[in-house]
Amino acid sequence: MRKSEIGIFVPISIMIILIFLTSCTEVQTMNLTPEYENLDYVPDTNITQIVEQQTEEIIQAEPSEEKETPLTIQDESLVYINPENIVKKMCPEQVLLGLRSCKIVKNGDINITIKNAGYTNLTMVFYLYYEDELMGYSYQDEPFYTKEEKTFTLDFDSLENQYGEITKIEATPVLLQGLEAMSCLNKKLPVIIKSGCR
C-alpha cells in the first residue's frame, strides 16, 4: 500500500469504527434515586418516643378488651346437685386436690383443710367408711373455687351416730359437666381418722 492510500484508509477506518460503535451501543440510564412521595415526614426526635406516643393513641382510641385467661368465677352456682344422683367417674387433669391437714376438734368435729390446685371450680363429697365398707357420705355444696384453700368442718360425732363407727374418710371432688355431677374416683384424698387426723 502506498502512503497516500494509508493516509486515507486510516481516517476512514476510524470513522467506520466510530459509526459502528455509536450505532450498536445505546446508552440507557436508570434512576437510582429513591422516591419519597408516600413517606411521612419524620421529625428529628427519638423514634422510640414516636412509637410510644402512637401506641398510646391507639390504646386510648379503642375500648380496652381484657385478654381471655382462665379466671375463677366467684358467683354462686345456680345448679342444684342432688347428692343421691352423683355419678362416680374418672375426671380430667384439670381437677387436682391437695390435702393440707386434718384436725380433730374437742367438740367432736373434724376439720379437713384442702387446696383446690386444679383449674376448675368444684364442690366436695366426703365418703365415710368403716374399714373398706362405705357407710355414707357428707356432701358439701358450697363452691370450692380454683386455687382456693378451704377448711371443711364435718360434725364427726353426729355422722358416727347416724352411720356407725367411721375409720376412713375419702375427700372427693365433685365436678359438674353439663347436667351431670361426677365424683372423681381418680382424684380422691383418703384420710385415715386415727393416724391422719390429730
Side-chain angles (χ1 to χ4, degrees):
M1 252 192 212
R2 292 183 232 162
K3 282 186 175 184
S4 61
E5 290 177 350
I6 292 176
I8 295 174
F9 179 71
V10 171
I12 291 175
S13 298
I14 292 174
M15 285 180 69
I16 290 173
I17 291 173
L18 287 173
I19 291 170
F20 178 74
L21 288 174
T22 57
S23 65
C24 290
T25 58
E26 184 179 328
V27 178
Q28 294 183 350
T29 59
M30 185 183 291
N31 185 7
L32 296 176
T33 307
E35 296 180 8
Y36 295 101
E37 294 175 4
N38 296 329
L39 296 177
D40 292 335
Y41 170 71
V42 179
D44 295 333
T45 55
N46 188 349
I47 297 296
T48 307
Q49 290 175 344
I50 294 170
V51 171
E52 288 175 358
Q53 182 181 9
Q54 289 180 350
T55 305
E56 189 175 323
E57 289 172 3
I58 290 170
I59 290 171
Q60 290 175 354
E62 295 178 359
S64 62
E65 296 180 7
E66 294 181 7
K67 294 180 180 177
E68 289 186 19
T69 54
L71 295 175
T72 302
I73 300 170
Q74 295 292 336
D75 295 333
E76 296 290 325
S77 174
L78 299 176
V79 179
Y80 170 73
I81 297 173
N82 183 350
E84 297 292 330
N85 295 333
I86 294 176
V87 180
K88 295 181 180 181
K89 281 191 173 181
M90 305 295 266
C91 287
E93 293 177 4
Q94 289 88 353
V95 179
L96 184 63
L97 296 181
L99 182 63
R100 293 292 186 240
S101 67
C102 178
K103 294 180 182 176
I104 298 176
V105 188
K106 289 182 180 178
N107 66 357
D109 289 347
I110 288 186
N111 291 336
I112 301 174
T113 304
I114 300 171
K115 174 157 184 167
N116 182 353
Y119 296 96
T120 184
N121 298 337
L122 308 164
T123 54
M124 293 292 294
V125 62
F126 294 90
Y127 293 110
L128 311 171
Y129 289 87
Y130 175 76
E131 302 300 332
D132 289 326
E133 183 183 349
L134 179 63
M135 306 297 289
Y137 64 86
S138 174
Y139 177 64
Q140 307 285 319
D141 62 351
E142 301 167 4
F144 189 15
Y145 300 116
T146 182
K147 307 304 178 191
E148 177 184 17
E149 190 170 301
K150 189 171 188 175
T151 299
F152 295 91
T153 301
L154 302 178
D155 186 348
F156 195 66
D157 286 345
S158 296
L159 290 172
E160 282 197 319
N161 287 337
Q162 181 178 356
Y163 297 111
E165 185 182 356
I166 298 167
T167 58
K168 181 174 78 171
I169 297 173
E170 284 183 347
T172 309
V174 176
L175 177 64
L176 184 66
Q177 284 193 331
L179 297 176
E180 184 177 57
M182 306 183 298
S183 68
C184 304
L185 294 178
N186 56 332
K187 305 292 181 171
K188 56 190 174 183
L189 298 173
V191 179
I192 308 300
I193 303 302
K194 288 183 180 176
S195 61
C197 292
R198 302 181 190 260

